[in-house]
Amino acid sequence: MSKPPVIAIVDDDGAVREALCDLLLVEGLLARPFDGAAAFLAQADVGEVDCIVTDVRMPEIDGLELQARLRAQGSSVPVIFITSSVADSTRAQAMRGGATAWFTKPVADQALLDALRRALGQGGRSGR
């Protein structure tokens, strides 16, 4: 039996983290929740994460900065943004940084799952 993909959920909103973790669990994916980008950077081994789902607006380090730091470290882990930000410039910055997908809250479960499947198909741990 193969190991399920590991998805890091990086969001300062506990209810969002819990809902996303529950959704992924039902789909047979392993979710690791982090209450912000600083916590993720301090606690996670990026090499053991297959995809990151994150918010843009978070205290200390926002999602765009998280993405930039990961890319600067040479990580190509797929990043999916789910955010309340509707600014085209913010979305464009995320996509230029290599984001796999961008959703505004609330996101439809199926749309997110489809994006995750695409992201996992293009890399995951072996893609780094």
Side-chain angles (χ1 to χ4, degrees), residues 105-122:
K105 294 177 183 177
V107 60
D109 291 351
Q110 194 58 54
L112 175 59
L113 293 171
D114 290 346
L116 273 168
R117 287 186 188 98
R118 284 190 304 273
L120 294 171
Q122 72 182 10

Side-chain angles (χ1 to χ4, degrees), residues 5 13 28 33 58 61 68 72 75 77 96 114-115 119:
D13 185 327
M58 294 181 288
I61 302 170
S75 173
V77 64
R96 277 192 311 272
D114 290 346

Side-chain angles (χ1 to χ4, degrees), residues 1-52:
M1 177 182 247
S2 64
K3 275 180 71 173
V6 178
I7 313 302
I9 306 298
V10 183
D11 198 307
D12 60 320
D13 185 327
V16 171
R17 284 194 313 273
E18 184 176 336
L20 290 173
C21 287
D22 289 348
L23 173 65
L24 298 182
L25 179 65
V26 168
E27 293 296 316
L29 301 169
L30 179 61
R32 290 201 50 211
F34 298 90
D35 65 3
F40 175 80
L41 291 168
Q43 300 169 12
D45 177 353
V46 178
E48 294 182 1
V49 173
D50 296 289
C51 187
I52 297 169

Side-chain angles (χ1 to χ4, degrees), residues 86-105:
V86 294
D88 287 337
S89 61
T90 305
R91 179 184 185 282
Q93 182 180 350
M95 300 311 282
R96 277 192 311 272
T100 302
W102 174 278
F103 297 103
T104 54
K105 294 177 183 177

